[in-house]
Amino acid sequence: MSQTQYDTLVSARWIITVEQDGEVLENHAIAIKDGQIAAIIPASQCASISANQRLELGHHVLMPGLINLHGHSAMTLLRGLADDKALMDWLNNHIWPAEGKHVQDDFVFDGSCLAMAEMIRGGTTTINDMYFYHAAMARAGLASGMRTFVGCSILEFPTNYASHADEYISKGMAERAEFLGEELITFTLAPHAPYTVSDATFRKVVELADKQDMRIHCHIHETADEVNNSVKELQQRPLARLQQLGLLSPRLIAAHMVHLNAEEIDIVARHGVSVAHNPASNMKLASGIAPVQQLLAAGVAVGIGTDGAASNNKLDMMAETRLAALLAKVGTLDPTAVPAATAIRMATLNGARALGIADKVGSVKVGKQADLIAIDLSALETAPAFDPVSHVVYAAGREQVSHVWVKGRCLLDARQLQTLDEAALKARGEDWRNRILAR
Ligand SMILES: CSC[C@H]1O[C@@H](n2cnc3c(O)ncnc32)[C@H](O)[C@@H]1O
Ligand SMILES: [Zn+2]
């Protein structure tokens, strides 16, 4: 019988599988073939394994790639432009005017490539995005090799991209058609928020999502003002309105969900809605603390997102995962809330569940695609290493991410980007800084 020839064999000191909470395999290897995890093998049996490439990561954790469940990648080019503001002041008086002046196709491509480089260097393998000029975002996804969910933004008011809701939808769907054969590119429908989208448009979104089998990605209950204004103007909380409009279903990824009562948590769970938790953005805009522990207890798939670089200001999923674990404890005054293994599950498998790709990625399992990262724990800052699960969440930083693979393709090798040109990205960023300052 002929022996299997694997593409890559990566052995590591520890593998965090995320199959069982806190499961760690010591001194094992992952064999990758045709982009898939083909075998998980004890290191002691690796000598007889044939592989085109072998990598021995003696001080590292291998684990599933991080899934950024809510972002606006191109906003890297607006990073640090308006800090220390409340959401509506930030949007109305700073971000939307800046977007009106600058956002177009090349802004989105350059900003998204910059974001993807940052995310890859921080161990993120999948981004669930929403912005404008979706073909540019998808091209950035193809250039970087990241698994990319492109949200077709929908608003009622005009922007550079489109002038009314129907135009946002038709342009977005036309751009989606260009990328239908691309396995790593998936389009979603992204109505911006209950306060910027009408009932009629939400109904169209639900119908289209059902017809085309698409996810829906929307900012919901981000601030107390959003909820209070809706009650004042419509005598209804936004979530109740969205429920009436048919939006609540397993298709929906609700970003933020900071202000929820017990009844709403139950409704979210019963409808199979997923939640993208954005701890840094919620803290920086002083939006509040999302009831993550209660959502998880109700069975909701809560993943983790960075939001955009203009409200975070990092696209650092390791930092975000740490914050998710810490903020849950402060929010509930319970130190057992969101333990490290749960935080890792949120940043990986829960994100995959939300996106409908948990059969493909999100954990280390034979047959899944090889979306994997390696984190080097040999640094002084992570010595000694008793428990890699604890270290990944509480002690390690993104600078310790050494390798990243998406579908078996190496995007980061010993901290070197393999698909994107770091110097060129920095130069383009500097160009945009000059252009933005000049207007
Ligand atoms: C239509 S999606 C892009 C749109 O959303 C804006 N945005 C970025 N972050 C947030 C946030 O936290 N809440 C609401 N809207 C946000 C972004 O500037 C784009 O205009
Ligand atoms: Zn957002």
Side-chain angles (χ1 to χ4, degrees), residues 43-55:
S44 57
Q45 295 169 24
C46 282
S48 59
I49 301 292
S50 297
N52 298 336
Q53 191 198 11
R54 303 174 90 91
L55 197 59

Side-chain angles (χ1 to χ4, degrees), residues 126-145:
T126 296
I127 168 67
N128 181 38
D129 207 82
M130 62 157 96
Y131 209 59
F132 308 101
Y133 299 94
H134 316 305
M137 172 72 190
R139 281 191 278 111
L142 291 177
S144 70

Side-chain angles (χ1 to χ4, degrees), residues 68-380:
N68 186 345
L69 196 57
H70 177 68
H72 311 280
S73 291
M75 293 183 83
T76 46
L77 296 179
L78 303 178
R79 190 189 331 246
L81 208 66
D83 293 323
D84 312 322
K85 318 260 177 242
L87 176 69
M88 292 320 295
D89 176 21
W90 179 76
L91 279 175
N92 284 324
N93 302 322
H94 302 273
I95 296 301
W96 282 338
E99 288 178 339
K101 281 190 207 152
H102 304 292
V103 172
Q104 9 110 8
D105 191 272
D106 59 345
F107 177 100
V108 172
F109 181 75
D110 290 343
S112 299
C113 285
L114 188 60
M116 288 177 175
E118 180 182 355
M119 286 191 277
I120 291 167
R121 279 162 56 87
T124 299
T125 50
T126 296
I127 168 67
N128 181 38
D129 207 82
M130 62 157 96
Y131 209 59
F132 308 101
Y133 299 94
H134 316 305
M137 172 72 190
R139 281 191 278 111
L142 291 177
S144 70
M146 280 186 80
R147 202 174 287 278
T148 305
F149 285 73
V150 183
C152 296
S153 290
I154 302 158
L155 298 144
E156 299 298 337
F157 60 79
T159 61
N160 298 349
Y161 178 70
S163 45
H164 52 82
D166 285 345
E167 195 185 2
Y168 283 94
I169 296 174
S170 59
K171 282 182 97 166
M173 293 306 282
E175 288 180 296
R176 173 178 180 255
E178 290 175 44
F179 296 90
L180 275 178
E182 295 290 349
E183 199 190 335
L184 295 180
I185 308 291
T186 306
F187 276 59
T188 70
L189 294 170
H192 171 256
Y195 54 91
T196 50
V197 176
S198 69
D199 286 3
T201 300
F202 273 125
R203 283 199 195 91
K204 283 182 196 163
V205 166
V206 171
E207 199 179 311
L208 188 57
D210 283 343
K211 196 166 156 207
Q212 299 292 333
D213 191 16
M214 294 168 80
R215 283 294 198 257
I216 300 171
H217 181 190
C218 184
H219 296 98
I220 304 176
H221 282 215
E222 181 172 357
T223 63
D225 277 356
E226 172 190 336
V227 177
N228 295 337
N229 291 342
S230 172
V231 170
K232 218 182 289 166
E233 286 161 24
L234 306 169
Q235 294 74 52
Q236 217 175 13
R237 287 167 70 87
L239 201 74
R241 176 175 155 229
L242 297 180
Q243 185 180 6
Q244 263 177 14
L245 296 171
L247 210 80
L248 305 194
S249 79
R251 292 195 186 288
L252 178 63
I253 301 166
H256 297 286
M257 297 293 259
V258 175
H259 298 277
L260 296 173
N261 58 36
E263 191 192 337
E264 288 168 335
I265 290 173
D266 183 54
I267 289 170
V268 165
R270 279 195 284 111
H271 286 81
V273 172
S274 301
V275 169
H277 175 44
N278 303 273
S281 170
N282 293 344
M283 289 166 78
K284 185 158 180 274
L285 297 168
S287 303
I289 302 178
V292 166
Q293 175 76 348
Q294 296 89 323
L295 286 161
L296 289 170
V300 176
V302 183
I304 298 178
T306 56
D307 215 345
S311 65
N312 184 308
N313 298 359
K314 298 169 165 195
L315 306 181
D316 179 351
M317 278 294 291
M318 287 184 68
E320 216 69 36
T321 304
R322 180 173 190 268
L323 278 181
L326 297 181
L327 201 55
K329 295 165 186 21
V330 171
T332 56
L333 295 181
D334 175 3
T336 69
V338 184
T342 303
I344 290 179
R345 178 161 40 86
M346 289 169 69
T348 55
L349 194 53
N350 281 7
R353 278 171 64 196
L355 291 166
I357 53 172
D359 58 330
K360 283 200 195 126
V361 297
S363 64
V364 176
K365 186 180 179 192
V366 171
K368 282 199 178 185
Q369 299 196 356
D371 285 20
L372 300 168
I373 63 173
I375 303 172
D376 183 354
L377 296 187
S378 68
L380 174 130

